[in-house]
Amino acid sequence: MPESRDRILIHRLAVFARHGVLPEEETLGQRFYLSLEARLDLGEAGRCDEIGATVSYADLAGLAHRIATERRFRLIEALAETICAEALAAFPQLDALTVRIDKPSAPVPLVLDGVAVEITRTRHA
């Protein structure tokens, strides 16, 4: 079955969390931005105009927000991996999910706008 070209996009969901390797990151916390690109067939939802034929972007965003705020990860790679795994398990309609975690206040002693990790996981891989 080919991967769907249809997408649900969630851009830069802001969360305050305590992820990071350094003790200060756990103590102080910081803002992160979560972006998700869910791939699934949206044809039926477009034809029938019923929420049950799609994945609610509110539910998908809520799942990502809960994981990011209720758990602590040392690596944003682990946060992204957990969001992908749990979303694919929770929403069987998803063919694939791309998760991007932006960490604008990364403790790097250089002038930069931030760092990010982006991963894609597919159901059929």
Side-chain angles (χ1 to χ4, degrees):
M1 179 167 124
E3 185 178 309
S4 176
R5 293 185 187 174
D6 301 338
R7 301 177 297 159
I8 294 174
L9 303 169
I10 298 170
H11 297 286
R12 293 180 57 84
L13 170 66
V15 298
F16 184 84
R18 300 178 186 280
H19 309 303
V21 175
L22 300 177
E24 302 83 46
E25 293 178 292
E26 182 174 9
T27 302
L28 300 174
Q30 61 190 292
R31 184 173 298 190
F32 296 82
Y33 294 99
L34 314 178
S35 297
L36 290 78
E37 178 182 299
R39 292 202 173 262
L40 66 160
D41 185 350
L42 297 174
E44 180 63 24
R47 288 185 293 277
C48 74
D49 197 23
E50 294 292 333
I51 190 70
T54 187
V55 171
S56 162
Y57 51 79
D59 291 346
L60 184 58
L63 180 141
H65 186 271
R66 277 190 305 282
I67 292 168
T69 59
E70 293 177 359
R71 300 186 201 174
R72 173 155 160 48
F73 297 90
R74 293 173 46 84
L75 303 177
I76 57 176
E77 293 88 339
L79 171 57
E81 188 71 40
T82 301
I83 292 170
C84 279
E86 293 198 17
L88 286 168
F91 304 108
Q93 306 95 315
L94 294 181
D95 294 325
L97 183 66
T98 297
V99 174
R100 178 183 170 114
I101 312 290
D102 284 279
K103 187 174 182 178
S105 300
V108 177
L110 300 167
V111 178
L112 49 77
D113 284 337
V115 300
V117 167
E118 182 176 282
I119 67 169
T120 300
R121 299 296 177 259
T122 61
R123 179 173 309 285
H124 309 291

